[in-house]
Amino acid sequence: MCRVVDVRRAVLAKNDTLAGALREELAGRGTIVVNLLSSPGSGKTALLERVLAHTSARGVPTAALTADLATEHDARRLARSGVPVRQVLTGGLCHLEAAQLRAHLEGWLPAGTRVLYVENVGNLVCPASYDLGETLRITLMSVTEGEDKPLKYPTAFGLAHLVVLTKTDLERAVGFDRAAFVRNVTGVNPGVEIAETSARSGEGVESLVDRVLAVVRGAAVHRPAMAAAALAAAHANTYGPDGDHALPLGDPAGRLP
């Protein structure tokens, strides 16, 4: 009897296997990955410029990897912070995957790096489905994008360990409804922390760095209810009633040198 395998599930299952291996290996080296997701224009790069400078100023070995479809503009901006930066050009792919991240870390990630910030492709759809081996997943949204964004992109916000509101200096000018935003975020991700920031004024940057460094020191991260449900569903789809694998999981990732 033939079993039909959902190709997308198979791809995600293989990615999750690679991501798990990468997370374990990097943790063994004392490195955490912070995966930053947002739509284009959220102010992610501007905020990351400040975050990198603040993290490095505290004496924490830091690096950044930024992904775009084209151009190296963001890498040049981030490099002004003085930390090691690598640009990834995806060639049209709308997200990063664990295998891509691992390939770009080989021979580049400096020994002793404690925090690797990964600026994912500007997109709230595809990147949300791909685990990169991160310890902390942050979904960002600016006040200019509308309070209902978390409802329109429930996976991106529902799987976040932390949600960051950006461009708060424009809140009054655009008539942002903060209460509605909070309700919508907590509706898809109950209990998640919401941080408020402004790259222009510097508001909230130190607090955001505090949160990241707490994770470096071993602080627990938020456990999204959506992630628990997805894990249960993945297990059900991976194993058939006889206990055999229903999905090809692929080979485990190799070791970084």
Side-chain angles (χ1 to χ4, degrees), residues 58-256:
R58 296 196 190 186
V60 179
T62 305
L65 183 146
T66 181
D68 279 303
L69 276 67
T71 82
E72 297 187 355
H73 294 168
D74 286 355
R76 286 195 289 268
R77 288 177 59 184
L78 297 179
R80 294 193 298 236
S81 67
V83 310
V85 175
R86 170 162 283 199
Q87 178 77 55
V88 176
L89 299 180
T90 65
L93 193 64
C94 62
H95 61 278
L96 281 175
E97 298 180 7
Q100 287 175 296
L101 178 59
R102 185 189 180 282
H104 283 281
L105 296 184
E106 275 193 67
W108 170 74
L109 186 66
T113 298
R114 300 301 307 279
V115 185
L116 172 64
Y117 291 97
V118 177
E119 183 182 17
N120 218 314
V121 179
N123 184 339
L124 283 177
V125 182
C126 302
S129 298
Y130 287 84
D131 183 358
L132 297 183
E134 67 263 23
T135 305
L136 183 64
R137 176 180 289 210
I138 301 177
T139 299
L140 303 92
M141 191 198 97
S142 71
V143 298
T144 62
E145 295 178 68
E147 302 83 1
D148 58 350
K149 200 103 184 205
L151 301 180
K152 293 180 177 180
Y153 299 92
T155 303
F157 288 89
L159 292 178
H161 299 126
L162 175 67
V163 172
V164 172
L165 185 64
T166 65
K167 303 185 182 180
T168 54
D169 53 292
L170 299 176
E171 181 176 348
R172 180 172 295 182
V174 299
F176 183 72
D177 189 337
R178 182 190 300 251
F181 169 72
V182 172
R183 284 197 305 272
N184 293 337
V185 169
T186 56
V188 298
N189 195 343
V192 72
E193 180 184 353
I194 300 173
E196 300 183 5
T197 63
S198 167
R200 176 175 292 178
S201 69
E203 175 196 1
V205 175
E206 285 285 359
S207 295
L208 179 56
V209 173
D210 285 342
R211 185 68 184 87
V212 172
L213 296 187
V215 176
V216 172
R217 293 190 295 269
V221 299
H222 169 68
R223 294 181 178 274
M226 185 179 289
L231 182 62
H235 187 274
N237 288 324
T238 300
Y239 293 94
D242 55 1
D244 292 334
H245 283 293
L247 299 178
L249 296 181
D251 296 326
R255 305 288 293 180
L256 286 172

